């Protein structure tokens, strides 16, 4: 007896996925787009006529003063949203003043006063302490003259 042989099925070969690699045309188009975009931003910046470092420093100083203006020392230890707002405004004023001072030495007294207030608060844990309030007053006076 002979065993039956199964029929041979000739299946077509599996289709090959087309290559997903971008061609040189796409790479060139991307490079040209980046160059034109960067050039456009550079031209717009140059035509604006403002020195980015000085304008940025003055903007940071004004933002620091605005944060300080909204900062209420008595809320610093309050639980909840009022306390969080106070903590974040004090931190924002400190950081923005440091950024302003880095961009323009004119703003160093503001940064120094806020840095000193932060350091004194870290020692006393009391915003009502005179050693904390004095540099805060100095910073507020600087902001009033800005």
């Amino acid at each position: 007896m002979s065993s039956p042989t199964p029929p041979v099925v000739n299946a077509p070969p599996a289709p090959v996925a087309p290559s997903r690699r971008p061609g040189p045309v796409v790479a060139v188009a991307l490079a040209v787009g980046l160059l034109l975009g960067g050039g456009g931003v550079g031209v717009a910046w140059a035509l604006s006529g403002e020195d980015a470092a000085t304008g940025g420093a003055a903007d940071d100083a004004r933002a620091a003063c605005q944060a300080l203006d909204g900062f209420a020392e008595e809320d610093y230890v309050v639980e909840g949203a009022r306390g969080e707002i106070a903590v974040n405004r004090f931190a924002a004023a400190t950081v923005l003043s440091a950024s302003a001072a880095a961009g323009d030495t004119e703003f160093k007294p503001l940064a120094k006063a806020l840095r000193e207030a932060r350091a004194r608060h870290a020692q006393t844990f009391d915003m009502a302490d005179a050693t904390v309030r004095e540099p805060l007053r100095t910073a507020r006076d600087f902001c009033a003259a800005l």
Side-chain angles (χ1 to χ4, degrees):
M1 283 207 242
S2 75
S3 61
T5 48
V8 176
V9 178
N10 290 330
V16 178
S19 173
R20 297 229 178 230
R21 292 176 41 210
V25 173
V26 174
V28 170
L30 178 63
V32 168
L34 287 172
L35 287 173
L36 289 175
V41 169
V43 167
W45 196 355
L47 292 177
S48 72
E50 182 176 311
D51 180 8
T54 305
D59 290 343
D60 286 346
R62 281 188 292 276
C65 290
Q66 187 175 13
L68 185 60
D69 186 46
F71 170 62
E73 294 94 331
E74 63 274 6
D75 289 345
Y76 196 84
V77 293
V78 173
E79 293 288 327
R82 280 181 38 214
E84 288 180 38
I85 291 168
V87 167
N88 287 315
R89 284 187 178 158
F90 183 56
T94 304
V95 171
L96 285 164
S97 69
S99 177
D104 189 334
T105 57
E106 172 188 357
F107 304 114
K108 285 193 177 202
L110 175 62
K112 180 182 179 208
L114 288 170
R115 197 171 44 249
E116 184 178 337
R118 184 188 64 198
R120 301 283 185 195
H121 179 260
Q123 293 172 343
T124 65
F125 298 103
D126 183 9
M127 279 291 179
D129 188 276
T131 63
V132 177
R133 286 196 175 263
E134 184 58 34
L136 282 175
R137 188 174 310 112
T138 301
R140 285 192 165 114
D141 290 346
F142 183 93
C143 288
L146 191 60

